[in-house]
Amino acid sequence: MLILVTNDDGIRSPGLRALQQTLQELGTIAIMAPDRERSAVSHALTLHSPLRAERLAEREFAIEGTPTDCINLAIHGLLKQTPDLIVSGINRGANLGDDIIYSGTVAAAMEGAMMGVPAVAVSLECLEFDGDELARAAEVTAGIVRHVSRGGLPHGTFLNVNVPKGHHRGHRLTRQGRRRYPDQVVEKRDPRGRAYYWLGGGGSEFESLPGTDFDAVRQGYVSITPLHTDLTNDKSFPTLQRWGGGNFFVESL
Amino acid sequence: MLILVTNDDGIRSPGLRALQQTLQELGTIAIMAPDRERSAVSHALTLHSPLRAERLAEREFAIEGTPTDCINLAIHGLLKQTPDLIVSGINRGANLGDDIIYSGTVAAAMEGAMMGVPAVAVSLECLEFDGDELARAAEVTAGIVRHVSRGGLPHGTFLNVNVPKGHHRGHRLTRQGRRRYPDQVVEKRDPRGRAYYWLGGGGSEFESLPGTDFDAVRQGYVSITPLHTDLTNDKSFPTLQRWGGGNFFVESL
């Protein structure tokens, strides 16, 4: 089994190395990761400039691009063989609720799923990595990878895994939680008196709904959320079909 | 009604100006758009560097950032009042199927929806903008905006609108289509013989499934796809719940 490991914290991240070490018992590891941190780049693709790939070892490349670039280059270019599985992480900090849409870690797994490769994104709740925490999270990942490699995943589906700090209380199958938006912009002045702005000043808060990723991690469980790439909101069809007394749309689903 | 207009082609794009001109009949327009083209940046957020905002006119700012940055700065910083509606576009080129995940145009509308503001992303099939095409697409948008401003949108839902080239045959309510992946990496050599890579070499192809956005536009209809920010794949729960003979997850949904 060929396992492609990537992340958005960059190729030197200890999270990536923890995965490499633990998952090599399950198969051959290929690494293709950004050459430096690329957090919050979401699903960005580099189309306007060419990409360089530095070969660091057999099946190991540092890419001057985003996590999504890495998956594209791996599958359509640099790997001789399509990987059987993609694991993205271990991310420094949880990727929960609506915030996953900003995450490069999650985007890499999604890109794999779009190309038909089963994929798992893994994030660890703590912001400071420590060896024990990482080893535990890598073991959790290995357990999940064993299940995925045995049974596969439904078409277009990938897993968003969040591991809590410390010893976990088991695995929970969860839904994507919902973010509550605080004020997020901090205004500053430069020495010449002109304004500039920082985003993300407020930090994230989530609605504490039972069954969500956020709720599981908060209670010490490993959260496993099956996600897919289809954003269609089926449930909104009936409402929209009533537009213009039912005459706005010429044909309906 | 305050309508915030943004895009990912940059503040000088004729697509944005066509919206401004047509939508000003429906309400007050605020413009907050990237200072230059930011295509394929997806939902990227600028967290590592501060953002500059250049005020060009009353309620009109050019932002040194991504479309997602623009929405954040607008709602949490620069606008005195939360907009009643966000319109993102008119994008040069369609945003269809799985490709929407890369789109800055769609990401801006999604960001609005996450903040509770009804939002519409609009893209035009032709890559070369012409005045007549743009005026037609802006009229289509105005028609949709009228319906949205009257009835709102279901919670967390936003609309992805694609306008075909030429005269359209009416509106269709559609699903997000599925991309078929061609080879996408082109390898080149620099004058020193070192390899570099271009992504997106293959162009996009979609599966031609009835009811999809792709299918509607191909047949000359305006495609309106209701999307949401919840990526949870509910349908995959039963499959995953069987892991480990039903014992892998300690609690299920």
PDB file of all heavy atoms in Angstrom, chain B residues 201-238:
ATOM      1  N   GLY B 201      -2.981  22.205 -16.776  1.00  0.00           N
ATOM      2  CA  GLY B 201      -2.678  22.046 -18.195  1.00  0.00           C
ATOM      3  C   GLY B 201      -3.818  21.419 -18.981  1.00  0.00           C
ATOM      4  O   GLY B 201      -3.995  21.687 -20.157  1.00  0.00           O
ATOM      5  N   GLY B 202      -4.618  20.604 -18.319  1.00  0.00           N
ATOM      6  CA  GLY B 202      -5.609  19.811 -19.045  1.00  0.00           C
ATOM      7  C   GLY B 202      -6.950  20.482 -19.276  1.00  0.00           C
ATOM      8  O   GLY B 202      -7.728  20.035 -20.098  1.00  0.00           O
ATOM      9  N   GLY B 203      -7.237  21.562 -18.563  1.00  0.00           N
ATOM     10  CA  GLY B 203      -8.594  22.132 -18.634  1.00  0.00           C
ATOM     11  C   GLY B 203      -9.556  21.252 -17.866  1.00  0.00           C
ATOM     12  O   GLY B 203      -9.191  20.180 -17.391  1.00  0.00           O
ATOM     13  N   SER B 204     -10.805  21.713 -17.705  1.00  0.00           N
ATOM     14  CA  SER B 204     -11.780  20.961 -16.918  1.00  0.00           C
ATOM     15  C   SER B 204     -12.763  20.219 -17.803  1.00  0.00           C
ATOM     16  O   SER B 204     -13.206  20.736 -18.815  1.00  0.00           O
ATOM     17  CB  SER B 204     -12.568  21.908 -16.017  1.00  0.00           C
ATOM     18  OG  SER B 204     -11.735  22.422 -15.023  1.00  0.00           O
ATOM     19  N   GLU B 205     -13.107  19.028 -17.398  1.00  0.00           N
ATOM     20  CA  GLU B 205     -14.206  18.305 -18.033  1.00  0.00           C
ATOM     21  C   GLU B 205     -15.159  17.867 -16.942  1.00  0.00           C
ATOM     22  O   GLU B 205     -14.734  17.525 -15.846  1.00  0.00           O
ATOM     23  CB  GLU B 205     -13.681  17.063 -18.742  1.00  0.00           C
ATOM     24  CG  GLU B 205     -13.055  17.347 -20.079  1.00  0.00           C
ATOM     25  CD  GLU B 205     -12.469  16.062 -20.664  1.00  0.00           C
ATOM     26  OE1 GLU B 205     -13.146  15.029 -20.638  1.00  0.00           O
ATOM     27  OE2 GLU B 205     -11.304  16.119 -21.080  1.00  0.00           O
ATOM     28  N   PHE B 206     -16.454  17.853 -17.262  1.00  0.00           N
ATOM     29  CA  PHE B 206     -17.439  17.461 -16.262  1.00  0.00           C
ATOM     30  C   PHE B 206     -18.255  16.287 -16.764  1.00  0.00           C
ATOM     31  O   PHE B 206     -18.425  16.114 -17.971  1.00  0.00           O
ATOM     32  CB  PHE B 206     -18.360  18.638 -15.939  1.00  0.00           C
ATOM     33  CG  PHE B 206     -17.639  19.801 -15.336  1.00  0.00           C
ATOM     34  CD1 PHE B 206     -17.163  20.826 -16.133  1.00  0.00           C
ATOM     35  CD2 PHE B 206     -17.383  19.836 -13.979  1.00  0.00           C
ATOM     36  CE1 PHE B 206     -16.461  21.889 -15.581  1.00  0.00           C
ATOM     37  CE2 PHE B 206     -16.681  20.899 -13.427  1.00  0.00           C
ATOM     38  CZ  PHE B 206     -16.225  21.926 -14.229  1.00  0.00           C
ATOM     39  N   GLU B 207     -18.733  15.504 -15.827  1.00  0.00           N
ATOM     40  CA  GLU B 207     -19.669  14.441 -16.189  1.00  0.00           C
ATOM     41  C   GLU B 207     -20.991  15.101 -16.547  1.00  0.00           C
ATOM     42  O   GLU B 207     -21.485  15.938 -15.809  1.00  0.00           O
ATOM     43  CB  GLU B 207     -19.832  13.471 -15.023  1.00  0.00           C
ATOM     44  CG  GLU B 207     -18.555  12.719 -14.729  1.00  0.00           C
ATOM     45  CD  GLU B 207     -18.700  11.740 -13.575  1.00  0.00           C
ATOM     46  OE1 GLU B 207     -19.837  11.446 -13.172  1.00  0.00           O
ATOM     47  OE2 GLU B 207     -17.658  11.283 -13.078  1.00  0.00           O
ATOM     48  N   SER B 208     -21.541  14.731 -17.681  1.00  0.00           N
ATOM     49  CA  SER B 208     -22.752  15.397 -18.152  1.00  0.00           C
ATOM     50  C   SER B 208     -23.988  14.723 -17.573  1.00  0.00           C
ATOM     51  O   SER B 208     -24.684  13.976 -18.239  1.00  0.00           O
ATOM     52  CB  SER B 208     -22.783  15.375 -19.676  1.00  0.00           C
ATOM     53  OG  SER B 208     -23.877  16.128 -20.117  1.00  0.00           O
ATOM     54  N   LEU B 209     -24.267  15.010 -16.289  1.00  0.00           N
ATOM     55  CA  LEU B 209     -25.409  14.402 -15.615  1.00  0.00           C
ATOM     56  C   LEU B 209     -26.592  15.359 -15.654  1.00  0.00           C
ATOM     57  O   LEU B 209     -26.432  16.555 -15.413  1.00  0.00           O
ATOM     58  CB  LEU B 209     -25.041  14.101 -14.157  1.00  0.00           C
ATOM     59  CG  LEU B 209     -23.855  13.150 -13.962  1.00  0.00           C
ATOM     60  CD1 LEU B 209     -23.375  13.188 -12.520  1.00  0.00           C
ATOM     61  CD2 LEU B 209     -24.258  11.737 -14.351  1.00  0.00           C
ATOM     62  N   PRO B 210     -27.792  14.854 -15.938  1.00  0.00           N
ATOM     63  CA  PRO B 210     -28.976  15.717 -15.947  1.00  0.00           C
ATOM     64  C   PRO B 210     -29.163  16.358 -14.572  1.00  0.00           C
ATOM     65  O   PRO B 210     -28.877  15.734 -13.548  1.00  0.00           O
ATOM     66  CB  PRO B 210     -30.133  14.756 -16.236  1.00  0.00           C
ATOM     67  CG  PRO B 210     -29.518  13.460 -16.640  1.00  0.00           C
ATOM     68  CD  PRO B 210     -28.114  13.444 -16.177  1.00  0.00           C
ATOM     69  N   GLY B 211     -29.616  17.601 -14.563  1.00  0.00           N
ATOM     70  CA  GLY B 211     -29.871  18.276 -13.287  1.00  0.00           C
ATOM     71  C   GLY B 211     -28.667  19.005 -12.730  1.00  0.00           C
ATOM     72  O   GLY B 211     -28.780  19.703 -11.727  1.00  0.00           O
ATOM     73  N   THR B 212     -27.497  18.877 -13.376  1.00  0.00           N
ATOM     74  CA  THR B 212     -26.306  19.558 -12.851  1.00  0.00           C
ATOM     75  C   THR B 212     -26.152  20.949 -13.461  1.00  0.00           C
ATOM     76  O   THR B 212     -26.717  21.260 -14.518  1.00  0.00           O
ATOM     77  CB  THR B 212     -25.018  18.765 -13.152  1.00  0.00           C
ATOM     78  OG1 THR B 212     -24.889  18.608 -14.567  1.00  0.00           O
ATOM     79  CG2 THR B 212     -25.052  17.397 -12.488  1.00  0.00           C
ATOM     80  N   ASP B 213     -25.332  21.757 -12.768  1.00  0.00           N
ATOM     81  CA  ASP B 213     -24.996  23.100 -13.238  1.00  0.00           C
ATOM     82  C   ASP B 213     -24.377  23.047 -14.635  1.00  0.00           C
ATOM     83  O   ASP B 213     -24.753  23.807 -15.539  1.00  0.00           O
ATOM     84  CB  ASP B 213     -24.065  23.803 -12.232  1.00  0.00           C
ATOM     85  CG  ASP B 213     -22.887  22.955 -11.756  1.00  0.00           C
ATOM     86  OD1 ASP B 213     -22.654  21.853 -12.304  1.00  0.00           O
ATOM     87  OD2 ASP B 213     -22.180  23.398 -10.824  1.00  0.00           O
ATOM     88  N   PHE B 214     -23.459  22.131 -14.809  1.00  0.00           N
ATOM     89  CA  PHE B 214     -22.757  22.004 -16.078  1.00  0.00           C
ATOM     90  C   PHE B 214     -23.727  21.745 -17.226  1.00  0.00           C
ATOM     91  O   PHE B 214     -23.677  22.373 -18.287  1.00  0.00           O
ATOM     92  CB  PHE B 214     -21.728  20.871 -15.982  1.00  0.00           C
ATOM     93  CG  PHE B 214     -21.115  20.500 -17.297  1.00  0.00           C
ATOM     94  CD1 PHE B 214     -20.228  21.357 -17.924  1.00  0.00           C
ATOM     95  CD2 PHE B 214     -21.451  19.308 -17.919  1.00  0.00           C
ATOM     96  CE1 PHE B 214     -19.671  21.027 -19.145  1.00  0.00           C
ATOM     97  CE2 PHE B 214     -20.904  18.970 -19.142  1.00  0.00           C
ATOM     98  CZ  PHE B 214     -20.006  19.833 -19.749  1.00  0.00           C
ATOM     99  N   ASP B 215     -24.634  20.809 -16.983  1.00  0.00           N
ATOM    100  CA  ASP B 215     -25.600  20.417 -17.995  1.00  0.00           C
ATOM    101  C   ASP B 215     -26.518  21.585 -18.385  1.00  0.00           C
ATOM    102  O   ASP B 215     -26.816  21.787 -19.567  1.00  0.00           O
ATOM    103  CB  ASP B 215     -26.427  19.251 -17.452  1.00  0.00           C
ATOM    104  CG  ASP B 215     -27.025  18.418 -18.561  1.00  0.00           C
ATOM    105  OD1 ASP B 215     -26.267  18.010 -19.467  1.00  0.00           O
ATOM    106  OD2 ASP B 215     -28.250  18.201 -18.532  1.00  0.00           O
ATOM    107  N   ALA B 216     -26.955  22.352 -17.381  1.00  0.00           N
ATOM    108  CA  ALA B 216     -27.857  23.483 -17.643  1.00  0.00           C
ATOM    109  C   ALA B 216     -27.170  24.527 -18.517  1.00  0.00           C
ATOM    110  O   ALA B 216     -27.733  24.986 -19.527  1.00  0.00           O
ATOM    111  CB  ALA B 216     -28.315  24.107 -16.324  1.00  0.00           C
ATOM    112  N   VAL B 217     -25.947  24.921 -18.155  1.00  0.00           N
ATOM    113  CA  VAL B 217     -25.240  25.959 -18.904  1.00  0.00           C
ATOM    114  C   VAL B 217     -24.941  25.491 -20.331  1.00  0.00           C
ATOM    115  O   VAL B 217     -25.095  26.239 -21.299  1.00  0.00           O
ATOM    116  CB  VAL B 217     -23.948  26.379 -18.160  1.00  0.00           C
ATOM    117  CG1 VAL B 217     -23.083  27.267 -19.027  1.00  0.00           C
ATOM    118  CG2 VAL B 217     -24.307  27.092 -16.860  1.00  0.00           C
ATOM    119  N   ARG B 218     -24.556  24.246 -20.438  1.00  0.00           N
ATOM    120  CA  ARG B 218     -24.270  23.681 -21.759  1.00  0.00           C
ATOM    121  C   ARG B 218     -25.486  23.773 -22.675  1.00  0.00           C
ATOM    122  O   ARG B 218     -25.371  23.938 -23.877  1.00  0.00           O
ATOM    123  CB  ARG B 218     -23.844  22.215 -21.584  1.00  0.00           C
ATOM    124  CG  ARG B 218     -23.116  21.604 -22.760  1.00  0.00           C
ATOM    125  CD  ARG B 218     -22.645  20.204 -22.391  1.00  0.00           C
ATOM    126  NE  ARG B 218     -23.745  19.387 -21.889  1.00  0.00           N
ATOM    127  CZ  ARG B 218     -24.381  18.450 -22.610  1.00  0.00           C
ATOM    128  NH1 ARG B 218     -23.994  18.199 -23.833  1.00  0.00           N
ATOM    129  NH2 ARG B 218     -25.356  17.752 -22.072  1.00  0.00           N
ATOM    130  N   GLN B 219     -26.677  23.663 -22.088  1.00  0.00           N
ATOM    131  CA  GLN B 219     -27.906  23.721 -22.890  1.00  0.00           C
ATOM    132  C   GLN B 219     -28.472  25.135 -23.010  1.00  0.00           C
ATOM    133  O   GLN B 219     -29.578  25.319 -23.530  1.00  0.00           O
ATOM    134  CB  GLN B 219     -28.962  22.795 -22.286  1.00  0.00           C
ATOM    135  CG  GLN B 219     -28.619  21.322 -22.413  1.00  0.00           C
ATOM    136  CD  GLN B 219     -29.673  20.443 -21.736  1.00  0.00           C
ATOM    137  OE1 GLN B 219     -30.861  20.716 -21.808  1.00  0.00           O
ATOM    138  NE2 GLN B 219     -29.218  19.414 -21.052  1.00  0.00           N
ATOM    139  N   GLY B 220     -27.719  26.137 -22.491  1.00  0.00           N
ATOM    140  CA  GLY B 220     -28.149  27.520 -22.676  1.00  0.00           C
ATOM    141  C   GLY B 220     -29.062  28.071 -21.587  1.00  0.00           C
ATOM    142  O   GLY B 220     -29.662  29.120 -21.763  1.00  0.00           O
ATOM    143  N   TYR B 221     -29.156  27.366 -20.441  1.00  0.00           N
ATOM    144  CA  TYR B 221     -29.959  27.868 -19.325  1.00  0.00           C
ATOM    145  C   TYR B 221     -29.077  28.593 -18.307  1.00  0.00           C
ATOM    146  O   TYR B 221     -27.887  28.281 -18.161  1.00  0.00           O
ATOM    147  CB  TYR B 221     -30.662  26.706 -18.608  1.00  0.00           C
ATOM    148  CG  TYR B 221     -31.725  26.037 -19.440  1.00  0.00           C
ATOM    149  CD1 TYR B 221     -31.420  24.905 -20.190  1.00  0.00           C
ATOM    150  CD2 TYR B 221     -33.025  26.533 -19.483  1.00  0.00           C
ATOM    151  CE1 TYR B 221     -32.385  24.283 -20.969  1.00  0.00           C
ATOM    152  CE2 TYR B 221     -33.997  25.913 -20.249  1.00  0.00           C
ATOM    153  CZ  TYR B 221     -33.682  24.794 -20.992  1.00  0.00           C
ATOM    154  OH  TYR B 221     -34.634  24.185 -21.757  1.00  0.00           O
ATOM    155  N   VAL B 222     -29.677  29.530 -17.583  1.00  0.00           N
ATOM    156  CA  VAL B 222     -29.022  30.102 -16.404  1.00  0.00           C
ATOM    157  C   VAL B 222     -29.112  29.042 -15.311  1.00  0.00           C
ATOM    158  O   VAL B 222     -30.202  28.571 -14.980  1.00  0.00           O
ATOM    159  CB  VAL B 222     -29.735  31.387 -15.924  1.00  0.00           C
ATOM    160  CG1 VAL B 222     -29.122  31.871 -14.616  1.00  0.00           C
ATOM    161  CG2 VAL B 222     -29.672  32.467 -16.993  1.00  0.00           C
ATOM    162  N   SER B 223     -27.970  28.666 -14.746  1.00  0.00           N
ATOM    163  CA  SER B 223     -27.942  27.654 -13.686  1.00  0.00           C
ATOM    164  C   SER B 223     -27.900  28.336 -12.321  1.00  0.00           C
ATOM    165  O   SER B 223     -27.053  29.198 -12.075  1.00  0.00           O
ATOM    166  CB  SER B 223     -26.704  26.767 -13.862  1.00  0.00           C
ATOM    167  OG  SER B 223     -26.455  26.040 -12.677  1.00  0.00           O
ATOM    168  N   ILE B 224     -28.816  27.962 -11.429  1.00  0.00           N
ATOM    169  CA  ILE B 224     -28.815  28.489 -10.058  1.00  0.00           C
ATOM    170  C   ILE B 224     -28.696  27.300  -9.103  1.00  0.00           C
ATOM    171  O   ILE B 224     -29.608  26.480  -9.015  1.00  0.00           O
ATOM    172  CB  ILE B 224     -30.104  29.293  -9.770  1.00  0.00           C
ATOM    173  CG1 ILE B 224     -30.224  30.439 -10.783  1.00  0.00           C
ATOM    174  CG2 ILE B 224     -30.094  29.831  -8.339  1.00  0.00           C
ATOM    175  CD1 ILE B 224     -31.431  31.334 -10.569  1.00  0.00           C
ATOM    176  N   THR B 225     -27.553  27.197  -8.430  1.00  0.00           N
ATOM    177  CA  THR B 225     -27.313  26.078  -7.519  1.00  0.00           C
ATOM    178  C   THR B 225     -27.278  26.579  -6.089  1.00  0.00           C
ATOM    179  O   THR B 225     -26.421  27.390  -5.741  1.00  0.00           O
ATOM    180  CB  THR B 225     -25.959  25.389  -7.829  1.00  0.00           C
ATOM    181  OG1 THR B 225     -25.790  25.270  -9.231  1.00  0.00           O
ATOM    182  CG2 THR B 225     -25.882  24.011  -7.176  1.00  0.00           C
ATOM    183  N   PRO B 226     -28.209  26.112  -5.234  1.00  0.00           N
ATOM    184  CA  PRO B 226     -28.141  26.490  -3.826  1.00  0.00           C
ATOM    185  C   PRO B 226     -27.068  25.653  -3.123  1.00  0.00           C
ATOM    186  O   PRO B 226     -27.109  24.422  -3.157  1.00  0.00           O
ATOM    187  CB  PRO B 226     -29.541  26.156  -3.297  1.00  0.00           C
ATOM    188  CG  PRO B 226     -30.087  25.125  -4.236  1.00  0.00           C
ATOM    189  CD  PRO B 226     -29.369  25.258  -5.544  1.00  0.00           C
ATOM    190  N   LEU B 227     -26.105  26.327  -2.517  1.00  0.00           N
ATOM    191  CA  LEU B 227     -25.009  25.637  -1.826  1.00  0.00           C
ATOM    192  C   LEU B 227     -25.060  25.987  -0.347  1.00  0.00           C
ATOM    193  O   LEU B 227     -25.683  26.966   0.052  1.00  0.00           O
ATOM    194  CB  LEU B 227     -23.664  26.083  -2.408  1.00  0.00           C
ATOM    195  CG  LEU B 227     -23.454  25.882  -3.909  1.00  0.00           C
ATOM    196  CD1 LEU B 227     -22.113  26.473  -4.344  1.00  0.00           C
ATOM    197  CD2 LEU B 227     -23.507  24.403  -4.276  1.00  0.00           C
ATOM    198  N   HIS B 228     -24.387  25.169   0.470  1.00  0.00           N
ATOM    199  CA  HIS B 228     -24.249  25.519   1.884  1.00  0.00           C
ATOM    200  C   HIS B 228     -22.857  25.167   2.364  1.00  0.00           C
ATOM    201  O   HIS B 228     -22.056  24.596   1.623  1.00  0.00           O
ATOM    202  CB  HIS B 228     -25.346  24.875   2.743  1.00  0.00           C
ATOM    203  CG  HIS B 228     -25.355  23.383   2.744  1.00  0.00           C
ATOM    204  ND1 HIS B 228     -26.083  22.645   3.626  1.00  0.00           N
ATOM    205  CD2 HIS B 228     -24.701  22.497   1.952  1.00  0.00           C
ATOM    206  CE1 HIS B 228     -25.896  21.362   3.386  1.00  0.00           C
ATOM    207  NE2 HIS B 228     -25.077  21.248   2.385  1.00  0.00           N
ATOM    208  N   THR B 229     -22.598  25.532   3.609  1.00  0.00           N
ATOM    209  CA  THR B 229     -21.226  25.407   4.105  1.00  0.00           C
ATOM    210  C   THR B 229     -21.011  24.113   4.878  1.00  0.00           C
ATOM    211  O   THR B 229     -19.918  23.859   5.349  1.00  0.00           O
ATOM    212  CB  THR B 229     -20.918  26.594   5.041  1.00  0.00           C
ATOM    213  OG1 THR B 229     -21.878  26.581   6.115  1.00  0.00           O
ATOM    214  CG2 THR B 229     -21.023  27.909   4.317  1.00  0.00           C
ATOM    215  N   ASP B 230     -22.049  23.306   4.999  1.00  0.00           N
ATOM    216  CA  ASP B 230     -21.931  22.054   5.753  1.00  0.00           C
ATOM    217  C   ASP B 230     -21.492  20.932   4.811  1.00  0.00           C
ATOM    218  O   ASP B 230     -22.248  20.502   3.946  1.00  0.00           O
ATOM    219  CB  ASP B 230     -23.284  21.717   6.385  1.00  0.00           C
ATOM    220  CG  ASP B 230     -23.211  20.465   7.252  1.00  0.00           C
ATOM    221  OD1 ASP B 230     -22.136  19.837   7.325  1.00  0.00           O
ATOM    222  OD2 ASP B 230     -24.246  20.118   7.853  1.00  0.00           O
ATOM    223  N   LEU B 231     -20.252  20.470   4.966  1.00  0.00           N
ATOM    224  CA  LEU B 231     -19.716  19.435   4.079  1.00  0.00           C
ATOM    225  C   LEU B 231     -20.018  18.021   4.572  1.00  0.00           C
ATOM    226  O   LEU B 231     -19.621  17.046   3.937  1.00  0.00           O
ATOM    227  CB  LEU B 231     -18.192  19.589   3.944  1.00  0.00           C
ATOM    228  CG  LEU B 231     -17.660  20.923   3.428  1.00  0.00           C
ATOM    229  CD1 LEU B 231     -16.140  20.866   3.312  1.00  0.00           C
ATOM    230  CD2 LEU B 231     -18.245  21.248   2.075  1.00  0.00           C
ATOM    231  N   THR B 232     -20.690  17.887   5.722  1.00  0.00           N
ATOM    232  CA  THR B 232     -20.953  16.555   6.276  1.00  0.00           C
ATOM    233  C   THR B 232     -21.662  15.660   5.257  1.00  0.00           C
ATOM    234  O   THR B 232     -22.656  16.057   4.669  1.00  0.00           O
ATOM    235  CB  THR B 232     -21.853  16.655   7.533  1.00  0.00           C
ATOM    236  OG1 THR B 232     -21.326  17.652   8.400  1.00  0.00           O
ATOM    237  CG2 THR B 232     -21.924  15.324   8.257  1.00  0.00           C
ATOM    238  N   ASN B 233     -21.139  14.461   5.048  1.00  0.00           N
ATOM    239  CA  ASN B 233     -21.790  13.500   4.169  1.00  0.00           C
ATOM    240  C   ASN B 233     -22.642  12.545   5.005  1.00  0.00           C
ATOM    241  O   ASN B 233     -22.199  11.457   5.377  1.00  0.00           O
ATOM    242  CB  ASN B 233     -20.744  12.731   3.354  1.00  0.00           C
ATOM    243  CG  ASN B 233     -21.398  11.782   2.372  1.00  0.00           C
ATOM    244  OD1 ASN B 233     -22.619  11.757   2.241  1.00  0.00           O
ATOM    245  ND2 ASN B 233     -20.580  11.001   1.680  1.00  0.00           N
ATOM    246  N   ASP B 234     -23.852  12.960   5.287  1.00  0.00           N
ATOM    247  CA  ASP B 234     -24.763  12.176   6.132  1.00  0.00           C
ATOM    248  C   ASP B 234     -24.916  10.746   5.640  1.00  0.00           C
ATOM    249  O   ASP B 234     -25.011   9.806   6.422  1.00  0.00           O
ATOM    250  CB  ASP B 234     -26.170  12.801   6.129  1.00  0.00           C
ATOM    251  CG  ASP B 234     -26.170  14.227   6.630  1.00  0.00           C
ATOM    252  OD1 ASP B 234     -25.752  15.110   5.877  1.00  0.00           O
ATOM    253  OD2 ASP B 234     -26.576  14.435   7.784  1.00  0.00           O
ATOM    254  N   LYS B 235     -24.959  10.621   4.308  1.00  0.00           N
ATOM    255  CA  LYS B 235     -25.247   9.297   3.728  1.00  0.00           C
ATOM    256  C   LYS B 235     -24.177   8.269   4.042  1.00  0.00           C
ATOM    257  O   LYS B 235     -24.401   7.075   3.889  1.00  0.00           O
ATOM    258  CB  LYS B 235     -25.410   9.422   2.211  1.00  0.00           C
ATOM    259  CG  LYS B 235     -26.693  10.143   1.820  1.00  0.00           C
ATOM    260  CD  LYS B 235     -26.806  10.289   0.303  1.00  0.00           C
ATOM    261  CE  LYS B 235     -27.883  11.311  -0.037  1.00  0.00           C
ATOM    262  NZ  LYS B 235     -27.496  12.153  -1.168  1.00  0.00           N
ATOM    263  N   SER B 236     -22.999   8.737   4.444  1.00  0.00           N
ATOM    264  CA  SER B 236     -21.920   7.776   4.702  1.00  0.00           C
ATOM    265  C   SER B 236     -21.939   7.248   6.135  1.00  0.00           C
ATOM    266  O   SER B 236     -21.175   6.343   6.476  1.00  0.00           O
ATOM    267  CB  SER B 236     -20.559   8.425   4.409  1.00  0.00           C
ATOM    268  OG  SER B 236     -20.294   9.427   5.368  1.00  0.00           O
ATOM    269  N   PHE B 237     -22.799   7.783   6.985  1.00  0.00           N
ATOM    270  CA  PHE B 237     -22.799   7.347   8.389  1.00  0.00           C
ATOM    271  C   PHE B 237     -23.014   5.833   8.555  1.00  0.00           C
ATOM    272  O   PHE B 237     -22.260   5.185   9.277  1.00  0.00           O
ATOM    273  CB  PHE B 237     -23.844   8.128   9.206  1.00  0.00           C
ATOM    274  CG  PHE B 237     -23.431   9.539   9.531  1.00  0.00           C
ATOM    275  CD1 PHE B 237     -24.373  10.552   9.600  1.00  0.00           C
ATOM    276  CD2 PHE B 237     -22.106   9.864   9.777  1.00  0.00           C
ATOM    277  CE1 PHE B 237     -24.010  11.862   9.896  1.00  0.00           C
ATOM    278  CE2 PHE B 237     -21.723  11.176  10.068  1.00  0.00           C
ATOM    279  CZ  PHE B 237     -22.680  12.168  10.123  1.00  0.00           C
ATOM    280  N   PRO B 238     -24.029   5.255   7.890  1.00  0.00           N
ATOM    281  CA  PRO B 238     -24.258   3.812   8.113  1.00  0.00           C
ATOM    282  C   PRO B 238     -23.035   2.952   7.777  1.00  0.00           C
ATOM    283  O   PRO B 238     -22.709   2.015   8.513  1.00  0.00           O
ATOM    284  CB  PRO B 238     -25.430   3.492   7.174  1.00  0.00           C
ATOM    285  CG  PRO B 238     -26.129   4.798   6.968  1.00  0.00           C
ATOM    286  CD  PRO B 238     -25.048   5.843   7.014  1.00  0.00           C
TER     287      PRO B 238
END
